[in-house]
Amino acid sequence: MVTLDKIRLDMAELQKLDQSVRSVEVHADTLDEALADAAVQLNTKVSNLEYEVKEKGFDGFFGIAKRPWFITVYQNAESVAKSAKFKELQKSGLMDMDEEIENIDRDGEFFLHHFGTDICLKVNLPVGEGKPVNLADILNDIKRPDTVDFDENLIKKFAAKGTGGVYETVGHYSRNPAADAIFVVDISKDELKATCTINPPALGGADVSHSQIETALKGQGVVAGISDEKIEALVDRPSYNVPVVVAEAVLPVDGRDAYIAYNFETDRSKMRAKEAANGQVDFKELNLIQNVVEGQPLAQKMLPERGKSGKTLFGRYLEAKNGKDINLPLGKNVTLDSDGRTILAACNGQVLLINDKINVEPIMEIDGVNIKSGNITFLGTVIVNGNVEDGYNVKASGNIEVNGEVGASTLESDGDIIVSHGIVGRDECKILCGGSLWAKFIQNSRVEVEENVIVQDSIMNCEVSAQHRIILQGKRAQITGGHLFATETVLAKNIGSAGGGTETVIEVGIDPRAKHRLEDLREMQEKALKELDELELNIQTLENTKKVRRVLPAEKEESLKRFNLRKNELSRENDEFNKEIEEILAHLRELKNIGKVYVSGTVYAGVKIFVRDEKDEVRANVKSVTFYYDEGFVRRGKYEKPDFEDVKGPEGYSNS
């Protein structure tokens, strides 16, 4: 029957358990690391933890915009209860402090001592696979010449069930007070320690009890730091003629100083090159740049802690020092969060610790991109004062400025790319630009830009795609070989070469990206239709066989099902191809700018000019000409210098 008193007892037990549950807040790069850290702080296993996610972590993109996990971790109720039971067993002497309840195997043990005129027994039960106490051993020890009587049945009961960590009277002996053990309690001069030294009893003498030692300590004025565990251990296993500590002062604990918890590596010497899965080091990926995004937490000041005062054995106050506060290491382009102690990035860029201050640099300036720097990935603008050597890459969310030459490399930028000298691609260079590209010359490279390509000298044997214009306006301004696409305009002095040689193709009046996608779609559709024809032939063959035989072998029937599934899948893909192709064609038809090619010098024989997919193949050299679209044909008109005032560029790279 459930009574009100029973409910009250259960509620009190639950409240006690809830109060014993501790929690910690943890920041870490991964959830596993955060839980491992919390397990250390809570002194338990990860399997015993429950947690609440305060802020979900993010691995970032190629390590960019990485954000740590922030979780609150609790020890689950079951493990708290188990821990409480474990502490009770420790207190009873069943196990040592550093052992865990589920992993321990300990034999049972007994302690037999003479207190007053009583023979007292304490039995600790075995733990795990440990052996029980041997009744014969207890009886052998109790049978001494001074023993008067003992209760064997009671001893048998305690040997089997234990005494619950306390001494129980099981018999009597003939006491000789002159033979009692003698003990003395000494207090250190600094009042920090009290020791007990015991001289062993003779036959018929009484042992020193827990209450005797405690009474002696209090009799000398000890009011703090008395250790029941140490006294109990000394009573159980006396160390004779040796001073044993039984009480210690509560020492003061100085408060921890404030400190900065950094979310980035502050020691650049610890930054290591990336390792491949096989363990080999990729020396092009040196990981020397720590990118951050605006609003990303960079560090947090952990507040100083107050010290915890102590007491001497006599209760005298021992003062503790409070932790010291520190100033926040605020540098350039950082700000404080609303909590007043979390430092955030105020812009995208590279986080650096300079003169013990946190800075975010939106511009990265390096001497060159080579084996010393490795590949560069940066959330901001990159300025390279030298060359970008063959095989190395630069990726930037801002601009890329190269004051030297670019080799067989890859440059990717969300902004503009400026190359003071030239680009010598050796058929392995790739330029992807979210703005405009300026260069002295471009050779044997693939270039894709969202706005304009502006070149001073020449473009040779390149595939260049510009969503707006391709402009060459230097002394040579020569386009030789390759395939150039521009939605609006191509301007050059000369196109092609006098001796012919490599093919030169210019296309304007179209969206280069859309046209490339259209070509890819048609190629994929052609492959899909070819596979569809083969499937239909196989399906027809199997169905005809089934009509004749009425039943197909299991293997053939499975093949027929598989062929039909694939046919349906290809049919859906073909419908999607048709839909996207029609959308692209409609987009190309709706382009308002029909495109023009301006040539102030010579267009050499062999050059192919496309305006809105209409072709004009130049059979003989033509000078000072403009190619344009008119009523379904490519027309040639007199050259008129176009007005490109809206094309603004960096210093030294204007279109004029």
Side-chain angles (χ1 to χ4, degrees), residues 22 37-45 48 75 83 97 100:
R22 294 174 54 214
D37 186 5
V40 172
Q41 294 187 50
L42 294 173
N43 193 26
T44 186
K45 294 180 176 180
N48 293 335
Q75 189 174 353
S83 178
M97 292 294 291
E100 291 201 18

Side-chain angles (χ1 to χ4, degrees), residues 322-355:
N322 292 327
K324 297 178 181 178
D325 201 1
I326 58 173
N327 294 323
L328 286 163
L330 300 177
K332 296 187 299 181
N333 300 316
V334 296
T335 185
L336 276 180
D337 202 353
S338 57
D339 63 4
R341 59 192 186 96
T342 301
I343 301 173
L344 308 175
C347 64
N348 296 350
Q350 175 182 200
V351 60
L352 297 168
L353 192 65
I354 302 174
N355 296 327

Side-chain angles (χ1 to χ4, degrees), residues 24-28 30-36 38 49-57 68-74:
V24 293
E25 293 185 341
V26 185
H27 291 80
T30 67
L31 182 59
D32 288 342
E33 289 179 6
L35 291 173
L49 299 180
E50 296 175 357
Y51 62 91
E52 175 186 346
V53 177
K54 296 290 188 182
E55 185 175 338
K56 189 174 181 181
W69 286 79
F70 176 30
I71 61 175
T72 300
V73 186
Y74 310 87

Side-chain angles (χ1 to χ4, degrees), residues 33 35 71 85 95 100 110 136 197 210 254 345 358 374 418 424 444 488 493 517 527 533 613 656:
E33 289 179 6
L35 291 173
I71 61 175
K85 183 178 179 182
M95 57 185 62
E100 291 201 18
F110 71 92
T197 305
H210 187 292
D254 290 342
I358 298 173
I418 303 102
V424 185
N444 303 95
E488 298 177 13
K493 184 175 182 181
R517 177 60 179 167
K527 290 180 180 178
D533 289 341
D613 286 330
S656 58

Side-chain angles (χ1 to χ4, degrees), residues 66-357:
K66 189 172 184 180
R67 184 171 62 248
W69 286 79
F70 176 30
I71 61 175
T72 300
V73 186
Y74 310 87
Q75 189 174 353
N76 63 42
E78 183 181 352
S79 66
V80 170
K82 187 180 289 186
S83 178
K85 183 178 179 182
F86 175 55
K87 289 179 179 177
E88 288 180 7
L89 290 171
Q90 288 174 336
K91 188 173 182 180
S92 67
L94 284 176
M95 57 185 62
D96 294 334
M97 292 294 291
D98 58 350
E99 293 176 317
E100 291 201 18
I101 187 169
E102 60 266 53
N103 296 327
I104 193 70
D105 290 326
R106 180 178 289 281
D107 292 343
E109 57 183 349
F110 71 92
F111 304 97
L112 196 65
H113 290 294
H114 298 68
F115 301 135
T117 59
D118 297 331
I119 301 173
C120 298
L121 174 68
K122 180 164 80 171
V123 176
N124 292 333
L125 294 175
V127 178
E129 300 298 323
K131 297 178 182 179
V133 169
N134 190 330
L135 176 62
D137 291 339
I138 300 176
L139 295 176
N140 185 57
D141 284 359
I142 204 171
K143 293 176 181 178
R144 295 191 338 185
D146 57 351
T147 299
V148 174
D149 61 71
F150 60 88
D151 188 337
E152 186 171 345
N153 289 331
L154 190 59
I155 294 171
K156 187 176 181 180
K157 173 187 172 183
F158 289 145
K161 297 185 177 181
T163 61
V166 298
Y167 282 92
E168 298 286 356
T169 300
V170 294
H172 302 88
Y173 74 105
S174 177
R175 181 186 178 190
N176 177 11
D180 288 351
I182 300 172
F183 74 98
V184 61
V185 170
D186 293 313
I187 310 296
S188 63
K189 291 182 179 180
D190 57 11
E191 304 177 16
L192 298 183
K193 284 186 180 181
T195 60
C196 179
T197 305
I198 302 175
N199 293 323
L203 185 65
D207 294 303
V208 177
S209 68
H210 187 292
S211 61
Q212 285 178 302
I213 297 174
E214 188 172 0
T215 301
L217 287 168
K218 292 180 178 178
Q220 293 200 39
V222 176
V223 295
I226 297 175
S227 173
D228 289 334
E229 291 82 4
K230 290 180 179 179
I231 295 174
E232 194 69 22
L234 179 60
V235 169
D236 289 345
R237 297 182 177 86
S239 297
Y240 296 120
N241 302 315
V242 176
V244 177
V245 175
V246 289
E248 291 183 285
V250 179
L251 296 177
V253 178
D254 290 342
R256 186 196 65 204
D257 292 342
Y259 69 94
I260 303 297
Y262 295 94
N263 296 334
F264 62 95
E265 181 55 68
T266 58
D267 185 353
R268 292 177 63 84
S269 65
K270 293 182 180 179
M271 299 170 72
R272 295 289 182 264
K274 186 183 294 183
E275 287 189 7
N278 60 5
Q280 292 183 340
V281 176
D282 184 355
F283 287 102
K284 290 184 180 179
E285 299 293 343
L286 298 181
N287 289 332
L288 298 177
I289 303 169
Q290 298 185 84
N291 287 290
V292 295
V293 297
E294 183 179 351
Q296 181 176 336
L298 304 178
Q300 186 177 46
K301 183 173 87 167
M302 311 309 281
L303 298 176
E305 294 180 348
R306 293 186 61 84
K308 296 178 181 179
S309 60
K311 286 183 180 180
T312 70
L313 295 177
F314 295 156
R316 303 185 203 281
Y317 178 76
L318 294 175
E319 186 177 2
K321 296 179 180 177
N322 292 327
K324 297 178 181 178
D325 201 1
I326 58 173
N327 294 323
L328 286 163
L330 300 177
K332 296 187 299 181
N333 300 316
V334 296
T335 185
L336 276 180
D337 202 353
S338 57
D339 63 4
R341 59 192 186 96
T342 301
I343 301 173
L344 308 175
C347 64
N348 296 350
Q350 175 182 200
V351 60
L352 297 168
L353 192 65
I354 302 174
N355 296 327
D356 294 326
K357 292 187 181 295

Side-chain angles (χ1 to χ4, degrees), residues 7 32 96 105 138-139 154 163 203 243 305 368 387 440 506-507 513 541 547 572 590:
I7 294 174
D32 288 342
D96 294 334
D105 290 326
I138 300 176
L139 295 176
L154 190 59
T163 61
L203 185 65
E305 294 180 348
N387 300 328
K440 187 175 183 181
I506 309 294
E507 294 193 44
R513 187 184 297 108
T541 301
K547 286 179 182 178
R572 287 194 300 270
E590 290 171 1

Side-chain angles (χ1 to χ4, degrees), residues 36 57 99 148 194 245 268 358 373 408 425 435 470 486 536 551 626 630 642:
E99 293 176 317
V148 174
V245 175
R268 292 177 63 84
I358 298 173
S373 68
I470 299 174
E536 288 179 341
V551 177
T626 298
D630 182 35

